[in-house]
Each structure stands twice: as structure tokens, then as C-alpha cells.
Amino acid sequence: LNFSVQILGSNSALAAHGRFPTAQVVQHNNSFFLIDCGEGTQMRMSHFHVKRSKIQHIFISHLHGDHYFGLIGLLTSYHLMGRTAPLTIYGPPLLEEIIQLQLNASNSQLGYTLQFVPTTTDGKQLIYDSPELQVFTFPLKHRIDTTGFLFQEKVGKRKINKSSTALLGLQANDFLSLRDGKNVAVNGHTFENESLTFAPPVARSYAYCSDTCFLPELKEYIQGVDLLYHEATFMQEEALKASQTFHSTTLQAGEIAKLAEVKQLVIGHFSSKYADLEAPLKEAKSVFPNTILAIEGSVFQIERAAIQHLNYSH
Ligand SMILES: [Zn+2]
Ligand SMILES: [Zn+2]
């Protein structure tokens, strides 16, 4: 079952050095999610051959333009392409008004249903729930209300050990009980669940920390995730500028990854002042060695054993 994150944009504020403002596509099995939608996201989707029509949920972290100025263009293009599948947008409450104003001003009516789910910065909130996956928001600390997003797989049911001879006398409902982790009784004999089943696959997780100043409290929301994206707008020499603008440095991103004991850190939201990203990467690695860059086009496959990193090749 596929669980992956593709980076479409990883620059902050301006597009520069061939890098675009923030956008990512998360795939979980057959579900596709867009996180943030900076200007140019549509073009990045075409460039990287993302099947944009498959996206049914869009999550916007906050209302700084580099995280949503591509949204109205994408919504309108969906209409022009004849989309009929509903689309749900999750974001700060004002975003609904902004979208409506833009649609009203151009007298546009979309040919598909647009649903809006307002986010809040009030602790950890469940905003998406399917049989396989949950998405939560959690508060970040930035100049305006901003949330991170946690994608958490649900723990699956136990697997029946088909080679067990004890299964022979069991009824259909016994198998259901076994998959739910219960013991079963046959002819007065109780079988321990563990003797007839295997543990379910380990649940995987991805956390996206959009724009934020250094915030150690994040640890409680992202503890032990398989993959953490954390902004690292500046290198440490710009720590003052980072705190003044409510952004993080490379060392601070590494520190959060270490505090939260995540398995892999990916850093992004790079300042345009860095044409070359090797120095920021090296600095983050000095705190958290298992760090990689959010190079645009890269796909991070979240495997149960480790993260597979596939660079985009043209
Ligand atoms: Zn930003
Ligand atoms: Zn921002």
C-alpha cells in the first residue's frame, strides 16, 4: 500500500533559483491530498505528471500568499476541465470568504461541489477520517494563524495465521473476532488470539510543519512520526531574522526532529537568499543526521522499514 509525499514547491515567499512556493501531494493508497497551493502549483503538477484530477482534498496551512495563491487558478481549471467529483478544502475560516469573493467577482459557478472545512489553532483536531487514514491539524506559531497537518494511518486488523490447524473448527464469526484481537472458544477450548493470528502492519505517519518559529511543544503532536517536513527558512546565522519573522532555522528544525524522535526529517521553505542548499543541509544534519532536502519533484515513499527517496528525473 503506497504512502508517499511528492514535493511540488519548497521555496519561501518568492519563486527563485528554479524553486516554487510551497505545495506537496500526499498519496495514501488510492487517495490523493494536496497540502498548500502556492502560485504555480498547477504548472508544477503538469511538469511532474501529477494526476491532478485525483486530488479530492486540499489542506491550506495559513493565508500567507506563498501557501495559497495558486488555489483559485486550480479550482477554476478543475471547472474548465469538466470536473464533477466533489472537492473539500480545509483551511483558516477566512479562506472560504476569499474563494467565494473571487468566484463571485468573476461570476463563476463551478461545475462540481466545493466543500469547506474551517481549521482552528485550538490544539489537535481530527479533520479527516477514513477507514484507513486520519488527518489532524495542530497549531504552529507564526505571524498569523497557522496549522500543521498530521497524516496518521489507522492500525489495521490482525492477520489470520492460515497454516494453523486449530482454525479447522472455527465459524465465520470466530474469524471476525480473531481479526479484532479477541480470543475464541471451540468445543470448550479457548484459543489465545496470538496463537492463531499475526500482528497487523505497523501504522505509518507523516507530519507537515508549515511556517513556524521554533516551537518545542510541537513534540507532543508529532512524536515518533516516520517522516517530518519542517520548515527551515534560514541558516543559523540568521537566527534573529528567523525569530523576528516567526520562521525556523536549520538547527531549530533539526532540534525539533530530535526532540520528537522522528525517523526522517525533510527540510524546506528555503529563503531565496540560498541558491545552493548544501550548506543549509549540512547545518541541519549536524543536529539531526537523518535529514534530506525538499528538492522539488522528489518523492518520499514512507515504507514500514525506512523512507525511500526518489529524485525526480526528467
Ligand atoms: Zn511561507
Ligand atoms: Zn507564512
Side-chain angles (χ1 to χ4, degrees):
L1 298 179
N2 187 36
F3 190 8
S4 67
V5 180
Q6 182 168 27
I7 308 295
L8 303 182
S10 63
N11 217 48
S12 68
L14 302 163
H17 317 297
R19 303 193 299 257
F20 283 67
T22 302
Q24 309 181 350
V25 175
V26 175
Q27 180 181 0
H28 187 262
N29 301 335
N30 294 317
S31 301
F32 291 77
F33 309 87
L34 180 67
I35 305 181
D36 282 344
C37 188
E39 186 185 349
T41 297
Q42 290 194 74
M43 280 66 97
R44 300 308 268 169
M45 286 177 170
S46 307
H47 184 79
F48 295 124
H49 308 292
V50 172
K51 295 202 174 57
R52 70 175 97 180
S53 61
K54 291 200 167 177
I55 292 168
Q56 294 190 324
H57 302 273
I58 300 179
F59 300 94
I60 302 293
S61 64
H62 68 302
L63 295 181
H64 281 154
D66 56 325
H67 297 259
Y68 85 101
F69 277 176
L71 187 58
I72 194 70
L74 180 63
L75 299 184
T76 314
S77 294
Y78 276 144
H79 171 71
L80 296 173
M81 293 184 303
R83 180 183 181 116
T84 53
L87 183 70
T88 308
I89 298 177
Y90 308 75
L94 258 183
L95 180 59
E96 187 177 20
E97 281 182 50
I98 293 170
I99 294 168
Q100 209 51 59
L101 181 67
Q102 287 177 312
L103 293 174
N104 290 348
S106 58
N107 196 23
S108 301
Q109 283 205 329
L110 301 177
Y112 57 93
T113 306
L114 195 61
Q115 279 151 347
F116 188 82
V117 177
T119 54
T120 76
T121 50
D122 186 16
K124 184 179 174 182
Q125 302 279 350
L126 176 67
I127 53 165
Y128 171 87
D129 195 12
S130 80
E132 298 176 325
L133 183 76
Q134 292 182 315
V135 183
F136 299 88
T137 57
F138 53 90
L140 300 171
K141 198 170 171 193
H142 193 42
R143 304 196 299 280
I144 55 175
D145 282 359
T146 304
T147 64
F149 299 106
L150 172 66
F151 288 69
Q152 178 70 60
E153 263 184 339
K154 288 185 179 172
V155 179
K157 292 186 182 279
R158 297 187 69 86
K159 301 236 180 292
I160 307 288
N161 179 357
K162 295 202 176 94
S163 64
S164 174
T165 51
L167 297 175
L168 289 171
L170 299 185
Q171 308 295 317
N173 57 338
D174 293 326
F175 286 100
L176 294 176
S177 299
L178 284 172
R179 296 198 67 212
D180 285 337
K182 295 175 192 144
N183 299 338
V184 290
V186 181
N187 300 329
H189 179 80
T190 298
F191 290 93
E192 295 291 322
N193 187 286
E194 286 76 13
S195 69
L196 301 179
T197 64
F198 300 116
V202 177
R204 297 166 290 179
S205 52
Y206 170 59
Y208 169 79
C209 292
S210 184
D211 298 6
T212 185
C213 65
F214 180 57
L215 192 62
E217 303 93 286
L218 281 182
K219 159 173 106 102
E220 65 175 287
Y221 301 118
I222 59 174
Q223 187 70 37
V225 296
D226 293 286
L227 180 65
L228 167 67
Y229 174 99
H230 195 289
E231 74 126 291
T233 309
F234 297 106
M235 292 185 66
Q236 197 58 28
E237 62 187 6
E238 298 278 357
L240 181 62
K241 187 156 186 210
S243 73
Q244 284 167 346
T245 54
F246 289 79
H247 282 300
S248 298
T249 67
T250 45
L251 293 190
Q252 291 167 343
E255 196 59 43
I256 296 293
K258 199 161 89 176
L259 277 172
E261 300 174 293
V262 309
K263 299 202 180 75
Q264 172 88 58
L265 170 66
V266 53
I267 53 170
H269 199 263
F270 308 112
S271 164
S272 302
K273 64 184 292 170
Y274 308 115
D276 180 57
L277 300 172
E278 283 312 307
L281 176 63
K282 198 170 164 213
E283 207 171 65
K285 278 185 159 178
S286 73
V287 178
F288 193 79
N290 213 4
T291 302
I292 34 182
L293 294 169
I295 298 296
E296 295 178 8
S298 295
V299 178
F300 304 104
Q301 295 279 1
I302 306 171
E303 307 286 355
R304 294 196 163 81
I307 308 293
Q308 297 272 352
H309 177 202
L310 310 169
N311 266 323
Y312 181 78
S313 54
H314 294 261

